[in-house]
Amino acid sequence: MKSMTGYGKGSANYEGRTLTVELKSVNHRYLDLSIRLPRAFLAYEDLFRQQLSLGLNRGHVDVYVNYEDCSNRPKKLNIDQGLAKSLVETSRQLQEQFDIKNDFNVNSLLKSQDVLTVMQEEDDPAIIKNLVTESVSAAVTNLNKMREAEGEKLSVTLNGFVDNIEKLVDEISAYAPSVVEEYRNKLKARISEALADVALDESKLANEVCFFADKSNIDEELARLKSHIAQIRQIFKEKDQIGRKLDFLVQEFNREANTICSKSNNIALTNLALSLKNEIEKVREQIQNVE
């Protein structure tokens, strides 16, 4: 079992280049990637997504990328000839208009913004792809290690809730047979009190009790709940992508608990069923973070 919450970091180095990828994930119904890339890596976003998808199945993942290039790749200077010409012409016009000394020289021109830019030759795409693949793979591995550790803790919590559910189902199973007998005794007492001088028709009483017993019978619901308990424990033992299975199964748990509540005509049984629903809700809340 894996949690969808975690953090992972990975780096790759090659000839003075260092690419660092950090991943932070939280729960989400699907795999939702939010990638923040340096300008130089915008063309490689699809590669990042492909590599991340290889090791991640669900969760909202924030991806932070940092790139340091300390390589000795050749650099070249780019001069904006048009801007330089405009600056020189403007300095001459100012000299003539205000009758001042023109001290605008080559050094001033080189210091002017955007006249001179330093450009590095484009890097080898194969090197960039290797850096991306290696750093993302390391980050995903570390993220999954944390998610697995969180998943182990989550498994303990969920198994505890399922134990509580099983105890409540056993209590309901043990108590349910007495509900019909209690109903029969209460109904008989009410009839005798209301019609003190009239002989009780046992056959009609029996028919009424049978109707109640059939209407309030929860044997099928209890059998399905016991089956669901066995299923959910088996799913807990699986390693990957169990979140959706658990989502569906918890819906089935809720359906049976709701039916028991609707059939109940007994305060004690209703209270047990409500406690059951409460434990099922605890499971539902926790599995939202299971991959």
Side-chain angles (χ1 to χ4, degrees):
M1 180 185 296
K2 287 181 185 176
S3 165
M4 283 190 278
T5 301
Y7 171 83
K9 182 177 181 180
S11 295
N13 300 281
Y14 183 80
E15 294 184 356
R17 306 165 181 82
T18 301
L19 183 65
T20 302
V21 176
E22 294 180 86
L23 307 176
K24 183 180 179 182
S25 69
V26 294
N27 62 304
H28 194 275
R29 190 174 181 181
Y30 305 107
L31 180 60
D32 179 40
L33 302 174
S34 176
I35 306 176
R36 297 166 175 80
L37 292 175
R39 182 181 295 275
F41 282 81
L42 292 177
Y44 296 93
E45 182 173 347
D46 285 345
L47 179 60
F48 275 94
R49 291 186 178 276
Q50 291 170 10
Q51 294 300 314
L52 289 164
S53 299
L54 292 176
L56 302 172
N57 298 302
R58 291 181 74 192
H60 172 82
V61 184
D62 287 311
V63 184
Y64 304 93
V65 179
N66 183 60
Y67 182 57
E68 295 181 10
D69 186 354
C70 299
S71 64
N72 293 319
R73 287 186 293 122
K75 298 180 178 63
K76 63 178 181 179
L77 299 179
N78 183 55
I79 300 174
D80 189 331
Q81 298 284 351
L83 178 59
K85 183 177 181 181
S86 295
L87 289 171
V88 171
E89 180 62 29
T90 300
S91 67
R92 184 164 54 250
Q93 291 175 1
L94 290 172
Q95 177 189 18
E96 295 174 354
Q97 182 175 355
F98 297 103
D99 191 24
I100 58 176
K101 179 182 178 182
N102 186 354
D103 56 359
F104 189 76
N105 53 30
V106 173
N107 188 47
S108 302
L109 190 61
L110 292 175
K111 290 180 179 179
S112 299
Q113 187 175 3
D114 298 329
V115 170
L116 186 67
T117 55
V118 180
M119 300 182 64
Q120 197 165 34
E121 289 188 0
E122 190 172 328
D123 213 336
D124 185 347
I127 294 175
I128 298 299
K129 289 180 180 179
N130 288 335
L131 287 172
V132 171
T133 301
E134 185 179 336
S135 58
V136 170
S137 176
V140 169
T141 297
N142 291 327
L143 173 63
N144 280 330
K145 284 180 180 178
M146 179 175 285
R147 294 174 83 169
E148 287 170 1
E150 291 295 319
E152 289 179 5
K153 298 176 185 177
L154 193 55
S155 178
V156 173
T157 300
L158 285 169
N159 275 295
F161 291 150
V162 173
D163 288 342
N164 293 339
I165 289 173
E166 186 171 40
K167 289 176 184 176
L168 287 165
V169 170
D170 289 341
E171 287 183 45
I172 293 172
S173 297
Y175 186 77
S178 67
V179 172
V180 175
E181 184 62 26
E182 286 183 16
Y183 176 78
R184 182 184 184 281
N185 293 335
K186 288 179 180 179
L187 180 61
K188 184 175 181 180
R190 286 199 295 268
I191 293 173
S192 298
E193 182 181 349
L195 305 172
D197 298 329
V198 179
L200 181 64
D201 188 334
E202 290 289 345
S203 63
K204 289 185 177 180
L205 176 64
N207 285 337
E208 177 64 26
V209 172
C210 286
F211 176 76
F212 173 81
D214 182 63
K215 183 180 179 182
S216 61
N217 185 278
I218 56 173
D219 289 346
E220 290 185 11
E221 288 76 17
L222 290 172
R224 283 193 287 266
L225 280 170
K226 290 175 181 178
S227 174
H228 295 338
I229 290 169
Q231 283 181 283
I232 201 169
R233 283 183 170 150
Q234 185 60 40
I235 293 174
F236 286 163
K237 296 177 183 179
E238 299 176 13
K239 292 186 177 180
D240 296 319
Q241 300 188 57
I242 65 174
R244 291 189 179 90
K245 294 181 183 179
L246 294 176
D247 280 338
F248 172 77
L249 194 53
V250 167
Q251 290 178 32
E252 297 302 305
F253 268 100
N254 266 318
R255 183 175 289 110
E256 306 306 334
N258 287 332
T259 303
I260 291 174
C261 284
S262 67
K263 287 185 175 183
S264 176
N265 195 26
N266 178 280
I267 293 176
L269 184 60
T270 299
N271 287 336
L272 286 172
L274 290 174
S275 296
L276 177 63
K277 283 176 59 65
N278 185 53
E279 292 301 314
I280 293 171
E281 179 61 20
K282 292 177 183 178
V283 173
R284 190 196 67 78
E285 290 176 353
Q286 292 296 322
I287 65 170
Q288 301 307 307
N289 202 33
V290 175
E291 183 180 70

